[in-house]
Amino acid sequence: MTALLYRGNSYEAPAASPKACVELTYRREHYNTCRKEVAHNAHPSLTYRGTSYTK
């Protein structure tokens, strides 16, 4: 954890709390905010103007 030193006083950021998974929709596409669920798809397939690309 990173400590901040300001005017001789040391401050530490509080630990991050776990967040709930949320499914978001943008222009008819669905996105999930959970990184663990998205991490299994490490090599997504992308399509641009009808041409498929792999990362």
Side-chain angles (χ1 to χ4, degrees):
M1 187 177 298
T2 305
L4 173 67
L5 185 64
Y6 178 71
R7 293 189 178 187
N9 296 324
S10 180
Y11 299 93
E12 290 191 23
S17 62
K19 296 182 180 179
C21 296
V22 178
E23 185 172 326
L24 306 172
T25 304
Y26 178 71
R27 293 189 180 181
R28 299 182 190 162
E29 296 292 328
H30 297 278
Y31 301 96
N32 197 330
T33 58
C34 291
R35 294 179 187 264
K36 290 180 183 177
E37 293 179 9
V38 177
H40 76 279
N41 190 5
H43 301 287
S45 175
L46 306 173
T47 303
Y48 178 71
R49 293 189 180 179
T51 306
S52 296
Y53 299 93
T54 57
K55 185 176 180 183

